[in-house]
Amino acid sequence: MTYETTMTDSPLLQHWQRTKDKINDAKTQNHARQDVTLLAVSKTKPSEMIRELIHAGQRDFGENYLQEALEKINALAEYKAKDAITWHYIGHIQRNKTRDIAEHFDWVQTLERDIIAKRLNDQRPDALPPLQVLIQVNIDDEDSKSGCTPEALPELVAAVKDYERLRLRGLMIIPATDSTDAFVRTQALFDDIKARYPELTDWDTLSMGMSGDMQAAIAHGSTMVRVGSAIFGARD
Ligand SMILES: *Cc1c(COP(=O)(O)O)cnc(C)c1O
């Protein structure tokens, strides 16, 4: 069943539908062949908004702040039990918080060091499927940004790909201002790793593009856009 918005829909559902339309427009205009997943970034927003979107058919949600995320995951546990929601951790990973992340999330998009990968691998409960991971690349080499440097990426991939409780799926970036150039360079890195490590059979995810630049990101191969304010409204 596909959900269609109507005149009586809430602003939240209207903004969500508009975002999905923009994604589809970008795919059409660029003759994009990849599937593009919409990750709804719900940081600072209440569980009720997430619940409304789940009922409309949104599955993937991203959170940055662990304590806040754990409260929402708990409040929405019924959907997790029904396999109606996928939680992505997109915040900075502190070393002493890896257990909570490994136990409660489905994806982690901000992996940048092997020491953290090893902890997540060791702490991922056996009862759960492997944790899906993306390596965050500091594509513009900004001092202020998290992420592994492009130069260090092959070595980190080589380490992470062999952890049994992790499944390495691709790359994530948060570009500086000129995002188009960063998108082009990230797509090249993504293809380079794919060619270099043919054993990476699940290497299929390029997480780039946010509210302001999702269409440009899709034009350059993004398979997952992380959209917060365009769906939920501005954050305080
Ligand atoms: C907040 C955030 C987003 C969403 O940003 P918007 O501009 O509100 O769409 C995406 N990715 C990460 C890592 C974020 O922290």
Side-chain angles (χ1 to χ4, degrees), residues 10-47:
S10 68
L12 175 65
L13 291 188
Q14 291 178 23
H15 292 148
W16 175 70
Q17 186 60 49
R18 206 169 300 152
T19 300
K20 297 206 309 169
D21 291 345
K22 273 183 145 183
I23 291 169
N24 283 328
D25 288 350
K27 284 172 61 177
T28 307
Q29 277 164 23
N30 297 289
H31 308 288
R33 275 168 303 170
Q34 76 272 24
D35 285 332
V36 179
T37 299
L38 171 58
L39 177 68
V41 177
S42 44
K43 63 181 172 212
T44 80
K45 301 297 177 181
S47 305

PDB file of all heavy atoms in Angstrom, residues 10-47:
ATOM      1  N   SER A  10      -1.320  16.451   8.189  1.00  0.00           N
ATOM      2  CA  SER A  10      -0.567  17.356   9.054  1.00  0.00           C
ATOM      3  C   SER A  10       0.602  17.944   8.268  1.00  0.00           C
ATOM      4  O   SER A  10       1.042  17.369   7.269  1.00  0.00           O
ATOM      5  CB  SER A  10      -0.020  16.581  10.244  1.00  0.00           C
ATOM      6  OG  SER A  10       0.970  15.679   9.781  1.00  0.00           O
ATOM      7  N   PRO A  11       1.120  19.092   8.703  1.00  0.00           N
ATOM      8  CA  PRO A  11       2.320  19.649   8.067  1.00  0.00           C
ATOM      9  C   PRO A  11       3.456  18.625   8.024  1.00  0.00           C
ATOM     10  O   PRO A  11       4.185  18.550   7.036  1.00  0.00           O
ATOM     11  CB  PRO A  11       2.672  20.843   8.962  1.00  0.00           C
ATOM     12  CG  PRO A  11       1.378  21.248   9.566  1.00  0.00           C
ATOM     13  CD  PRO A  11       0.576  19.976   9.746  1.00  0.00           C
ATOM     14  N   LEU A  12       3.602  17.834   9.067  1.00  0.00           N
ATOM     15  CA  LEU A  12       4.676  16.835   9.088  1.00  0.00           C
ATOM     16  C   LEU A  12       4.557  15.880   7.898  1.00  0.00           C
ATOM     17  O   LEU A  12       5.530  15.641   7.179  1.00  0.00           O
ATOM     18  CB  LEU A  12       4.625  16.048  10.410  1.00  0.00           C
ATOM     19  CG  LEU A  12       5.618  14.886  10.534  1.00  0.00           C
ATOM     20  CD1 LEU A  12       7.058  15.389  10.529  1.00  0.00           C
ATOM     21  CD2 LEU A  12       5.351  14.079  11.803  1.00  0.00           C
ATOM     22  N   LEU A  13       3.374  15.344   7.681  1.00  0.00           N
ATOM     23  CA  LEU A  13       3.204  14.399   6.578  1.00  0.00           C
ATOM     24  C   LEU A  13       3.342  15.085   5.218  1.00  0.00           C
ATOM     25  O   LEU A  13       3.835  14.499   4.269  1.00  0.00           O
ATOM     26  CB  LEU A  13       1.858  13.677   6.678  1.00  0.00           C
ATOM     27  CG  LEU A  13       1.738  12.686   7.839  1.00  0.00           C
ATOM     28  CD1 LEU A  13       0.450  11.899   7.737  1.00  0.00           C
ATOM     29  CD2 LEU A  13       2.933  11.748   7.908  1.00  0.00           C
ATOM     30  N   GLN A  14       2.911  16.329   5.151  1.00  0.00           N
ATOM     31  CA  GLN A  14       3.077  17.068   3.889  1.00  0.00           C
ATOM     32  C   GLN A  14       4.555  17.280   3.580  1.00  0.00           C
ATOM     33  O   GLN A  14       4.994  17.117   2.440  1.00  0.00           O
ATOM     34  CB  GLN A  14       2.346  18.413   3.963  1.00  0.00           C
ATOM     35  CG  GLN A  14       0.833  18.249   3.992  1.00  0.00           C
ATOM     36  CD  GLN A  14       0.105  19.583   4.104  1.00  0.00           C
ATOM     37  OE1 GLN A  14       0.648  20.624   3.747  1.00  0.00           O
ATOM     38  NE2 GLN A  14      -1.110  19.553   4.618  1.00  0.00           N
ATOM     39  N   HIS A  15       5.333  17.649   4.602  1.00  0.00           N
ATOM     40  CA  HIS A  15       6.769  17.871   4.373  1.00  0.00           C
ATOM     41  C   HIS A  15       7.485  16.563   4.018  1.00  0.00           C
ATOM     42  O   HIS A  15       8.404  16.544   3.200  1.00  0.00           O
ATOM     43  CB  HIS A  15       7.413  18.497   5.622  1.00  0.00           C
ATOM     44  CG  HIS A  15       6.937  19.889   5.874  1.00  0.00           C
ATOM     45  ND1 HIS A  15       6.814  20.416   7.134  1.00  0.00           N
ATOM     46  CD2 HIS A  15       6.542  20.861   5.013  1.00  0.00           C
ATOM     47  CE1 HIS A  15       6.368  21.666   7.044  1.00  0.00           C
ATOM     48  NE2 HIS A  15       6.191  21.958   5.759  1.00  0.00           N
ATOM     49  N   TRP A  16       7.055  15.502   4.648  1.00  0.00           N
ATOM     50  CA  TRP A  16       7.630  14.180   4.354  1.00  0.00           C
ATOM     51  C   TRP A  16       7.334  13.790   2.909  1.00  0.00           C
ATOM     52  O   TRP A  16       8.226  13.344   2.182  1.00  0.00           O
ATOM     53  CB  TRP A  16       7.035  13.170   5.338  1.00  0.00           C
ATOM     54  CG  TRP A  16       7.414  11.741   5.120  1.00  0.00           C
ATOM     55  CD1 TRP A  16       8.644  11.178   5.328  1.00  0.00           C
ATOM     56  CD2 TRP A  16       6.558  10.686   4.670  1.00  0.00           C
ATOM     57  NE1 TRP A  16       8.590   9.826   5.036  1.00  0.00           N
ATOM     58  CE2 TRP A  16       7.330   9.506   4.631  1.00  0.00           C
ATOM     59  CE3 TRP A  16       5.201  10.624   4.310  1.00  0.00           C
ATOM     60  CZ2 TRP A  16       6.790   8.274   4.240  1.00  0.00           C
ATOM     61  CZ3 TRP A  16       4.669   9.403   3.932  1.00  0.00           C
ATOM     62  CH2 TRP A  16       5.469   8.237   3.890  1.00  0.00           C
ATOM     63  N   GLN A  17       6.083  13.996   2.488  1.00  0.00           N
ATOM     64  CA  GLN A  17       5.710  13.643   1.113  1.00  0.00           C
ATOM     65  C   GLN A  17       6.474  14.521   0.109  1.00  0.00           C
ATOM     66  O   GLN A  17       6.946  14.038  -0.917  1.00  0.00           O
ATOM     67  CB  GLN A  17       4.200  13.800   0.912  1.00  0.00           C
ATOM     68  CG  GLN A  17       3.703  13.314  -0.440  1.00  0.00           C
ATOM     69  CD  GLN A  17       3.996  11.829  -0.665  1.00  0.00           C
ATOM     70  OE1 GLN A  17       3.708  10.998   0.190  1.00  0.00           O
ATOM     71  NE2 GLN A  17       4.609  11.489  -1.804  1.00  0.00           N
ATOM     72  N   ARG A  18       6.627  15.793   0.437  1.00  0.00           N
ATOM     73  CA  ARG A  18       7.357  16.697  -0.449  1.00  0.00           C
ATOM     74  C   ARG A  18       8.823  16.255  -0.579  1.00  0.00           C
ATOM     75  O   ARG A  18       9.414  16.324  -1.656  1.00  0.00           O
ATOM     76  CB  ARG A  18       7.268  18.129   0.106  1.00  0.00           C
ATOM     77  CG  ARG A  18       7.416  19.198  -0.963  1.00  0.00           C
ATOM     78  CD  ARG A  18       7.043  20.568  -0.417  1.00  0.00           C
ATOM     79  NE  ARG A  18       5.677  20.635   0.069  1.00  0.00           N
ATOM     80  CZ  ARG A  18       5.252  21.455   1.034  1.00  0.00           C
ATOM     81  NH1 ARG A  18       6.075  22.278   1.629  1.00  0.00           N
ATOM     82  NH2 ARG A  18       3.979  21.453   1.405  1.00  0.00           N
ATOM     83  N   THR A  19       9.380  15.808   0.520  1.00  0.00           N
ATOM     84  CA  THR A  19      10.768  15.313   0.484  1.00  0.00           C
ATOM     85  C   THR A  19      10.874  14.088  -0.416  1.00  0.00           C
ATOM     86  O   THR A  19      11.805  13.968  -1.232  1.00  0.00           O
ATOM     87  CB  THR A  19      11.239  14.974   1.920  1.00  0.00           C
ATOM     88  OG1 THR A  19      11.167  16.156   2.711  1.00  0.00           O
ATOM     89  CG2 THR A  19      12.660  14.447   1.926  1.00  0.00           C
ATOM     90  N   LYS A  20       9.932  13.187  -0.300  1.00  0.00           N
ATOM     91  CA  LYS A  20       9.965  11.993  -1.154  1.00  0.00           C
ATOM     92  C   LYS A  20       9.790  12.369  -2.626  1.00  0.00           C
ATOM     93  O   LYS A  20      10.431  11.785  -3.507  1.00  0.00           O
ATOM     94  CB  LYS A  20       8.868  11.012  -0.723  1.00  0.00           C
ATOM     95  CG  LYS A  20       9.114  10.510   0.700  1.00  0.00           C
ATOM     96  CD  LYS A  20       8.506   9.149   0.973  1.00  0.00           C
ATOM     97  CE  LYS A  20       7.061   9.098   0.569  1.00  0.00           C
ATOM     98  NZ  LYS A  20       6.592   7.690   0.616  1.00  0.00           N
ATOM     99  N   ASP A  21       8.939  13.361  -2.881  1.00  0.00           N
ATOM    100  CA  ASP A  21       8.766  13.830  -4.270  1.00  0.00           C
ATOM    101  C   ASP A  21      10.073  14.402  -4.818  1.00  0.00           C
ATOM    102  O   ASP A  21      10.438  14.171  -5.969  1.00  0.00           O
ATOM    103  CB  ASP A  21       7.672  14.911  -4.341  1.00  0.00           C
ATOM    104  CG  ASP A  21       6.282  14.343  -4.070  1.00  0.00           C
ATOM    105  OD1 ASP A  21       6.121  13.103  -4.104  1.00  0.00           O
ATOM    106  OD2 ASP A  21       5.364  15.141  -3.791  1.00  0.00           O
ATOM    107  N   LYS A  22      10.782  15.158  -3.969  1.00  0.00           N
ATOM    108  CA  LYS A  22      12.061  15.750  -4.399  1.00  0.00           C
ATOM    109  C   LYS A  22      13.076  14.664  -4.732  1.00  0.00           C
ATOM    110  O   LYS A  22      13.845  14.784  -5.690  1.00  0.00           O
ATOM    111  CB  LYS A  22      12.648  16.622  -3.276  1.00  0.00           C
ATOM    112  CG  LYS A  22      12.177  18.052  -3.264  1.00  0.00           C
ATOM    113  CD  LYS A  22      12.903  18.780  -2.141  1.00  0.00           C
ATOM    114  CE  LYS A  22      13.209  20.220  -2.507  1.00  0.00           C
ATOM    115  NZ  LYS A  22      13.966  20.894  -1.434  1.00  0.00           N
ATOM    116  N   ILE A  23      13.090  13.625  -3.931  1.00  0.00           N
ATOM    117  CA  ILE A  23      14.011  12.509  -4.183  1.00  0.00           C
ATOM    118  C   ILE A  23      13.681  11.861  -5.522  1.00  0.00           C
ATOM    119  O   ILE A  23      14.565  11.615  -6.358  1.00  0.00           O
ATOM    120  CB  ILE A  23      13.935  11.484  -3.026  1.00  0.00           C
ATOM    121  CG1 ILE A  23      14.520  12.090  -1.752  1.00  0.00           C
ATOM    122  CG2 ILE A  23      14.653  10.185  -3.387  1.00  0.00           C
ATOM    123  CD1 ILE A  23      14.264  11.270  -0.490  1.00  0.00           C
ATOM    124  N   ASN A  24      12.413  11.630  -5.747  1.00  0.00           N
ATOM    125  CA  ASN A  24      12.010  11.003  -7.015  1.00  0.00           C
ATOM    126  C   ASN A  24      12.298  11.906  -8.207  1.00  0.00           C
ATOM    127  O   ASN A  24      12.737  11.437  -9.257  1.00  0.00           O
ATOM    128  CB  ASN A  24      10.526  10.624  -6.972  1.00  0.00           C
ATOM    129  CG  ASN A  24      10.319   9.357  -6.156  1.00  0.00           C
ATOM    130  OD1 ASN A  24      11.182   8.484  -6.132  1.00  0.00           O
ATOM    131  ND2 ASN A  24       9.194   9.267  -5.473  1.00  0.00           N
ATOM    132  N   ASP A  25      12.089  13.207  -8.036  1.00  0.00           N
ATOM    133  CA  ASP A  25      12.403  14.148  -9.115  1.00  0.00           C
ATOM    134  C   ASP A  25      13.896  14.104  -9.440  1.00  0.00           C
ATOM    135  O   ASP A  25      14.285  14.104 -10.612  1.00  0.00           O
ATOM    136  CB  ASP A  25      12.036  15.587  -8.709  1.00  0.00           C
ATOM    137  CG  ASP A  25      10.527  15.793  -8.685  1.00  0.00           C
ATOM    138  OD1 ASP A  25       9.793  14.903  -9.162  1.00  0.00           O
ATOM    139  OD2 ASP A  25      10.092  16.839  -8.160  1.00  0.00           O
ATOM    140  N   ALA A  26      14.719  14.082  -8.405  1.00  0.00           N
ATOM    141  CA  ALA A  26      16.179  14.067  -8.625  1.00  0.00           C
ATOM    142  C   ALA A  26      16.585  12.782  -9.335  1.00  0.00           C
ATOM    143  O   ALA A  26      17.448  12.796 -10.225  1.00  0.00           O
ATOM    144  CB  ALA A  26      16.920  14.198  -7.297  1.00  0.00           C
ATOM    145  N   LYS A  27      15.977  11.681  -8.977  1.00  0.00           N
ATOM    146  CA  LYS A  27      16.304  10.419  -9.646  1.00  0.00           C
ATOM    147  C   LYS A  27      15.906  10.478 -11.122  1.00  0.00           C
ATOM    148  O   LYS A  27      16.670  10.075 -11.998  1.00  0.00           O
ATOM    149  CB  LYS A  27      15.582   9.250  -8.960  1.00  0.00           C
ATOM    150  CG  LYS A  27      16.229   8.853  -7.653  1.00  0.00           C
ATOM    151  CD  LYS A  27      15.422   7.836  -6.884  1.00  0.00           C
ATOM    152  CE  LYS A  27      15.247   6.533  -7.644  1.00  0.00           C
ATOM    153  NZ  LYS A  27      14.514   5.538  -6.828  1.00  0.00           N
ATOM    154  N   THR A  28      14.735  11.006 -11.396  1.00  0.00           N
ATOM    155  CA  THR A  28      14.260  11.083 -12.774  1.00  0.00           C
ATOM    156  C   THR A  28      15.134  12.013 -13.608  1.00  0.00           C
ATOM    157  O   THR A  28      15.592  11.656 -14.687  1.00  0.00           O
ATOM    158  CB  THR A  28      12.805  11.606 -12.793  1.00  0.00           C
ATOM    159  OG1 THR A  28      12.030  10.786 -11.924  1.00  0.00           O
ATOM    160  CG2 THR A  28      12.228  11.561 -14.196  1.00  0.00           C
ATOM    161  N   GLN A  29      15.391  13.198 -13.060  1.00  0.00           N
ATOM    162  CA  GLN A  29      16.165  14.194 -13.814  1.00  0.00           C
ATOM    163  C   GLN A  29      17.567  13.716 -14.142  1.00  0.00           C
ATOM    164  O   GLN A  29      18.129  14.072 -15.173  1.00  0.00           O
ATOM    165  CB  GLN A  29      16.278  15.494 -12.998  1.00  0.00           C
ATOM    166  CG  GLN A  29      15.060  16.392 -13.142  1.00  0.00           C
ATOM    167  CD  GLN A  29      15.032  17.448 -12.041  1.00  0.00           C
ATOM    168  OE1 GLN A  29      16.063  17.769 -11.460  1.00  0.00           O
ATOM    169  NE2 GLN A  29      13.858  17.976 -11.758  1.00  0.00           N
ATOM    170  N   ASN A  30      18.131  12.919 -13.258  1.00  0.00           N
ATOM    171  CA  ASN A  30      19.523  12.471 -13.453  1.00  0.00           C
ATOM    172  C   ASN A  30      19.608  11.054 -14.006  1.00  0.00           C
ATOM    173  O   ASN A  30      20.692  10.485 -14.051  1.00  0.00           O
ATOM    174  CB  ASN A  30      20.282  12.572 -12.136  1.00  0.00           C
ATOM    175  CG  ASN A  30      20.379  14.012 -11.655  1.00  0.00           C
ATOM    176  OD1 ASN A  30      21.101  14.806 -12.243  1.00  0.00           O
ATOM    177  ND2 ASN A  30      19.626  14.357 -10.641  1.00  0.00           N
ATOM    178  N   HIS A  31      18.468  10.504 -14.375  1.00  0.00           N
ATOM    179  CA  HIS A  31      18.424   9.113 -14.846  1.00  0.00           C
ATOM    180  C   HIS A  31      19.177   8.205 -13.869  1.00  0.00           C
ATOM    181  O   HIS A  31      19.931   7.320 -14.275  1.00  0.00           O
ATOM    182  CB  HIS A  31      19.029   8.986 -16.256  1.00  0.00           C
ATOM    183  CG  HIS A  31      18.427   9.952 -17.222  1.00  0.00           C
ATOM    184  ND1 HIS A  31      17.146   9.806 -17.707  1.00  0.00           N
ATOM    185  CD2 HIS A  31      18.910  11.098 -17.778  1.00  0.00           C
ATOM    186  CE1 HIS A  31      16.868  10.825 -18.528  1.00  0.00           C
ATOM    187  NE2 HIS A  31      17.918  11.619 -18.582  1.00  0.00           N
ATOM    188  N   ALA A  32      18.990   8.494 -12.580  1.00  0.00           N
ATOM    189  CA  ALA A  32      19.713   7.731 -11.556  1.00  0.00           C
ATOM    190  C   ALA A  32      19.172   6.310 -11.502  1.00  0.00           C
ATOM    191  O   ALA A  32      17.966   6.094 -11.478  1.00  0.00           O
ATOM    192  CB  ALA A  32      19.559   8.414 -10.192  1.00  0.00           C
ATOM    193  N   ARG A  33      20.080   5.358 -11.492  1.00  0.00           N
ATOM    194  CA  ARG A  33      19.645   3.957 -11.462  1.00  0.00           C
ATOM    195  C   ARG A  33      19.626   3.394 -10.044  1.00  0.00           C
ATOM    196  O   ARG A  33      19.078   2.340  -9.800  1.00  0.00           O
ATOM    197  CB  ARG A  33      20.565   3.113 -12.352  1.00  0.00           C
ATOM    198  CG  ARG A  33      20.136   3.141 -13.826  1.00  0.00           C
ATOM    199  CD  ARG A  33      21.217   2.556 -14.692  1.00  0.00           C
ATOM    200  NE  ARG A  33      22.472   3.288 -14.502  1.00  0.00           N
ATOM    201  CZ  ARG A  33      23.644   2.892 -14.980  1.00  0.00           C
ATOM    202  NH1 ARG A  33      23.738   1.763 -15.632  1.00  0.00           N
ATOM    203  NH2 ARG A  33      24.727   3.621 -14.795  1.00  0.00           N
ATOM    204  N   GLN A  34      20.304   4.073  -9.119  1.00  0.00           N
ATOM    205  CA  GLN A  34      20.375   3.528  -7.762  1.00  0.00           C
ATOM    206  C   GLN A  34      19.060   3.746  -7.006  1.00  0.00           C
ATOM    207  O   GLN A  34      18.328   4.687  -7.279  1.00  0.00           O
ATOM    208  CB  GLN A  34      21.529   4.195  -6.991  1.00  0.00           C
ATOM    209  CG  GLN A  34      21.282   5.620  -6.481  1.00  0.00           C
ATOM    210  CD  GLN A  34      21.644   6.716  -7.486  1.00  0.00           C
ATOM    211  OE1 GLN A  34      21.679   6.510  -8.684  1.00  0.00           O
ATOM    212  NE2 GLN A  34      21.886   7.918  -6.977  1.00  0.00           N
ATOM    213  N   ASP A  35      18.783   2.865  -6.055  1.00  0.00           N
ATOM    214  CA  ASP A  35      17.694   3.110  -5.115  1.00  0.00           C
ATOM    215  C   ASP A  35      18.194   4.136  -4.108  1.00  0.00           C
ATOM    216  O   ASP A  35      19.361   4.126  -3.731  1.00  0.00           O
ATOM    217  CB  ASP A  35      17.321   1.830  -4.365  1.00  0.00           C
ATOM    218  CG  ASP A  35      16.537   0.875  -5.250  1.00  0.00           C
ATOM    219  OD1 ASP A  35      15.844   1.359  -6.170  1.00  0.00           O
ATOM    220  OD2 ASP A  35      16.622  -0.338  -5.042  1.00  0.00           O
ATOM    221  N   VAL A  36      17.307   5.012  -3.671  1.00  0.00           N
ATOM    222  CA  VAL A  36      17.687   6.018  -2.677  1.00  0.00           C
ATOM    223  C   VAL A  36      16.789   5.864  -1.454  1.00  0.00           C
ATOM    224  O   VAL A  36      15.564   5.977  -1.555  1.00  0.00           O
ATOM    225  CB  VAL A  36      17.571   7.444  -3.248  1.00  0.00           C
ATOM    226  CG1 VAL A  36      17.961   8.472  -2.183  1.00  0.00           C
ATOM    227  CG2 VAL A  36      18.442   7.610  -4.501  1.00  0.00           C
ATOM    228  N   THR A  37      17.408   5.585  -0.326  1.00  0.00           N
ATOM    229  CA  THR A  37      16.672   5.444   0.935  1.00  0.00           C
ATOM    230  C   THR A  37      16.579   6.796   1.616  1.00  0.00           C
ATOM    231  O   THR A  37      17.566   7.534   1.679  1.00  0.00           O
ATOM    232  CB  THR A  37      17.414   4.462   1.869  1.00  0.00           C
ATOM    233  OG1 THR A  37      17.493   3.191   1.224  1.00  0.00           O
ATOM    234  CG2 THR A  37      16.693   4.307   3.197  1.00  0.00           C
ATOM    235  N   LEU A  38      15.397   7.109   2.111  1.00  0.00           N
ATOM    236  CA  LEU A  38      15.223   8.336   2.900  1.00  0.00           C
ATOM    237  C   LEU A  38      15.398   8.008   4.381  1.00  0.00           C
ATOM    238  O   LEU A  38      14.624   7.238   4.950  1.00  0.00           O
ATOM    239  CB  LEU A  38      13.827   8.921   2.650  1.00  0.00           C
ATOM    240  CG  LEU A  38      13.420  10.081   3.561  1.00  0.00           C
ATOM    241  CD1 LEU A  38      14.397  11.259   3.472  1.00  0.00           C
ATOM    242  CD2 LEU A  38      11.998  10.537   3.229  1.00  0.00           C
ATOM    243  N   LEU A  39      16.442   8.596   4.967  1.00  0.00           N
ATOM    244  CA  LEU A  39      16.653   8.477   6.406  1.00  0.00           C
ATOM    245  C   LEU A  39      16.086   9.741   7.054  1.00  0.00           C
ATOM    246  O   LEU A  39      16.561  10.849   6.773  1.00  0.00           O
ATOM    247  CB  LEU A  39      18.153   8.348   6.717  1.00  0.00           C
ATOM    248  CG  LEU A  39      18.499   8.290   8.204  1.00  0.00           C
ATOM    249  CD1 LEU A  39      18.010   6.996   8.831  1.00  0.00           C
ATOM    250  CD2 LEU A  39      20.003   8.431   8.408  1.00  0.00           C
ATOM    251  N   ALA A  40      15.073   9.583   7.879  1.00  0.00           N
ATOM    252  CA  ALA A  40      14.472  10.731   8.569  1.00  0.00           C
ATOM    253  C   ALA A  40      15.278  11.001   9.836  1.00  0.00           C
ATOM    254  O   ALA A  40      15.343  10.148  10.723  1.00  0.00           O
ATOM    255  CB  ALA A  40      13.015  10.438   8.910  1.00  0.00           C
ATOM    256  N   VAL A  41      15.909  12.164   9.887  1.00  0.00           N
ATOM    257  CA  VAL A  41      16.774  12.505  11.033  1.00  0.00           C
ATOM    258  C   VAL A  41      15.929  13.197  12.105  1.00  0.00           C
ATOM    259  O   VAL A  41      15.550  14.355  11.960  1.00  0.00           O
ATOM    260  CB  VAL A  41      17.955  13.390  10.587  1.00  0.00           C
ATOM    261  CG1 VAL A  41      18.791  13.801  11.798  1.00  0.00           C
ATOM    262  CG2 VAL A  41      18.814  12.649   9.569  1.00  0.00           C
ATOM    263  N   SER A  42      15.649  12.452  13.163  1.00  0.00           N
ATOM    264  CA  SER A  42      14.649  12.877  14.143  1.00  0.00           C
ATOM    265  C   SER A  42      15.251  13.454  15.420  1.00  0.00           C
ATOM    266  O   SER A  42      14.540  13.624  16.416  1.00  0.00           O
ATOM    267  CB  SER A  42      13.740  11.688  14.474  1.00  0.00           C
ATOM    268  OG  SER A  42      14.487  10.486  14.658  1.00  0.00           O
ATOM    269  N   LYS A  43      16.536  13.769  15.406  1.00  0.00           N
ATOM    270  CA  LYS A  43      17.171  14.313  16.619  1.00  0.00           C
ATOM    271  C   LYS A  43      16.413  15.541  17.114  1.00  0.00           C
ATOM    272  O   LYS A  43      15.982  16.368  16.298  1.00  0.00           O
ATOM    273  CB  LYS A  43      18.626  14.676  16.337  1.00  0.00           C
ATOM    274  CG  LYS A  43      18.807  15.764  15.309  1.00  0.00           C
ATOM    275  CD  LYS A  43      20.286  16.046  15.054  1.00  0.00           C
ATOM    276  CE  LYS A  43      20.437  16.993  13.895  1.00  0.00           C
ATOM    277  NZ  LYS A  43      21.662  16.770  13.127  1.00  0.00           N
ATOM    278  N   THR A  44      16.259  15.633  18.408  1.00  0.00           N
ATOM    279  CA  THR A  44      15.557  16.702  19.137  1.00  0.00           C
ATOM    280  C   THR A  44      14.037  16.688  18.936  1.00  0.00           C
ATOM    281  O   THR A  44      13.334  17.493  19.536  1.00  0.00           O
ATOM    282  CB  THR A  44      16.081  18.144  18.833  1.00  0.00           C
ATOM    283  OG1 THR A  44      15.516  18.603  17.599  1.00  0.00           O
ATOM    284  CG2 THR A  44      17.604  18.202  18.781  1.00  0.00           C
ATOM    285  N   LYS A  45      13.524  15.779  18.113  1.00  0.00           N
ATOM    286  CA  LYS A  45      12.074  15.754  17.855  1.00  0.00           C
ATOM    287  C   LYS A  45      11.420  14.610  18.632  1.00  0.00           C
ATOM    288  O   LYS A  45      12.037  13.565  18.854  1.00  0.00           O
ATOM    289  CB  LYS A  45      11.818  15.587  16.359  1.00  0.00           C
ATOM    290  CG  LYS A  45      12.431  16.690  15.501  1.00  0.00           C
ATOM    291  CD  LYS A  45      11.822  18.053  15.816  1.00  0.00           C
ATOM    292  CE  LYS A  45      12.494  19.150  14.997  1.00  0.00           C
ATOM    293  NZ  LYS A  45      11.952  20.492  15.285  1.00  0.00           N
ATOM    294  N   PRO A  46      10.158  14.796  19.038  1.00  0.00           N
ATOM    295  CA  PRO A  46       9.529  13.818  19.931  1.00  0.00           C
ATOM    296  C   PRO A  46       9.116  12.508  19.255  1.00  0.00           C
ATOM    297  O   PRO A  46       8.898  12.464  18.034  1.00  0.00           O
ATOM    298  CB  PRO A  46       8.286  14.567  20.441  1.00  0.00           C
ATOM    299  CG  PRO A  46       7.991  15.566  19.389  1.00  0.00           C
ATOM    300  CD  PRO A  46       9.310  15.966  18.778  1.00  0.00           C
ATOM    301  N   SER A  47       8.961  11.481  20.066  1.00  0.00           N
ATOM    302  CA  SER A  47       8.556  10.158  19.579  1.00  0.00           C
ATOM    303  C   SER A  47       7.232  10.196  18.820  1.00  0.00           C
ATOM    304  O   SER A  47       7.008   9.407  17.908  1.00  0.00           O
ATOM    305  CB  SER A  47       8.385   9.183  20.749  1.00  0.00           C
ATOM    306  OG  SER A  47       9.538   9.122  21.516  1.00  0.00           O
TER     307      SER A  47
END
